Amino acid sequence: DTEVTQTPKHLVMGMTNKKSLKCEQHMGHRAMYWYKQKAKKPPELMFVYSYEKLSINESVPSRFSPECPNSSLLNLHLHALQPEDSALYLCASSQVSGLAGGRNEQFFGPGTRLTVL
Amino acid sequence: AQSVTQLGSHVSVSEGALVLLRCNYSSSVPPYLFWYVQYPNQGLQLLLKYTTGATLVKGINGFEAEFKKSETSFHLTKPSAHMSDAAEYFCAVIPLSGNTGKLIFGQGTTLQVKP
């Protein structure tokens, strides 16, 4: 299995809702990432988990809360989002994070298209 | 800080013509270099990467890229464009300083292929 899966594909939520995005990989990767991508822009890194521990938080607002229950799963919990948070949310994984002789090639999932009303 | 520049936000070629997408990086120490492709409403797919070794790298779908240290470049080419190549292409680097392993993306180039 060489893919990263994400659910749901699409999500519409109100500003008072609580929802979660899920990401899963079965490649034995120990680093997992959340990115946010606006239309016609490159992905922006949000969080990095390395060996199930949060290693990088790119100053993301607390209304986004990541969780890594185990080495295969990554969640992004959403609460009290704003309309400007509407975007494509991408999950990625790599064998390791940091510099590791090229083992940090990132594999991306198909993304969750989030719309905040 | 490390940056990645993709010259041309939009490139248009005819089907069967050469594809050339340009990427330059801004560090004295060559980083790890990647090209990703993104089709509409999909995630990013790795086309090819350069970490060490041979400077001409072959990737999927007939694409290749050449690392040129003297020009700090990693341009992506394909000899003959196909309609299915129409997509967004991102050049990305992982700097060798800092050891964070963070991917730094260029702004992307939209490739249009005309019949």
Side-chain angles (χ1 to χ4, degrees):
Chain A
D1 190 351
T2 59
E3 65 173 348
V4 177
T5 59
Q6 291 187 242
T7 55
K9 287 189 175 181
H10 301 275
L11 178 62
V12 179
M13 59 186 291
M15 290 190 285
T16 58
N17 293 155
K18 285 185 180 180
K19 297 286 185 183
S20 296
L21 309 184
K22 295 184 186 303
C23 173
E24 191 166 3
Q25 57 86 17
H26 294 288
M27 295 179 278
H29 289 175
R30 303 312 300 269
M32 296 186 77
Y33 311 77
W34 280 116
Y35 289 87
K36 173 183 177 181
Q37 187 182 26
K38 291 284 209 179
K40 299 297 185 184
K41 295 291 186 183
E44 299 171 26
L45 183 65
M46 300 174 72
F47 303 104
V48 180
Y49 273 83
S50 179
Y51 292 88
E52 294 102 72
K53 291 190 187 324
L54 182 65
S55 61
I56 295 177
N57 177 341
E58 291 288 282
S59 302
V60 178
S62 60
R63 58 185 183 268
F64 296 90
S65 175
E67 178 196 20
C68 190
N70 59 57
S71 61
S72 300
L73 291 174
L74 186 66
N75 298 322
L76 186 63
H77 303 296
L78 314 173
H79 174 54
L81 295 193
Q82 304 297 310
E84 59 265 29
D85 297 321
S86 298
L88 181 68
Y89 287 84
L90 294 164
C91 174
S93 70
S94 62
Q95 287 188 33
V96 293
S97 65
L99 298 173
R103 291 187 294 144
N104 43 23
E105 167 189 333
Q106 292 185 27
F107 294 79
F108 284 80
T112 293
R113 177 73 60 187
L114 174 67
T115 302
V116 182
L117 301 176
Chain B
Q2 174 74 266
S3 66
V4 181
T5 301
Q6 291 184 239
L7 288 174
S9 59
H10 190 101
V11 171
S12 182
V13 301
S14 298
E15 190 174 20
L18 172 72
V19 175
L20 171 60
L21 304 183
R22 299 177 187 273
C23 174
N24 288 86
Y25 63 89
S26 67
S27 66
S28 56
V29 177
Y32 294 151
L33 297 151
F34 305 83
W35 274 100
Y36 284 89
V37 61
Q38 187 174 30
Y39 300 101
N41 298 311
Q42 294 189 26
L44 276 69
Q45 181 182 14
L46 183 70
L47 282 175
L48 46 80
K49 67 176 183 180
Y50 172 80
T51 53
T52 59
T55 56
L56 183 61
V57 181
K58 294 189 184 300
I60 62 171
N61 303 340
F63 284 94
E64 62 182 37
E66 186 171 11
F67 165 61
K68 291 187 176 180
K69 183 177 178 180
S70 61
E71 299 177 7
T72 62
S73 69
F74 192 55
H75 302 330
L76 181 71
T77 60
K78 182 174 180 177
S80 176
H82 191 272
M83 296 297 291
S84 61
D85 294 326
E88 190 78 13
Y89 290 80
F90 292 101
C91 180
V93 306
I94 295 180
L96 297 190
S97 60
N99 199 30
T100 65
K102 287 169 58 174
L103 259 180
I104 298 172
F105 287 93
Q107 289 301 301
T109 297
T110 302
L111 177 64
Q112 179 187 25
V113 182
K114 297 179 289 187

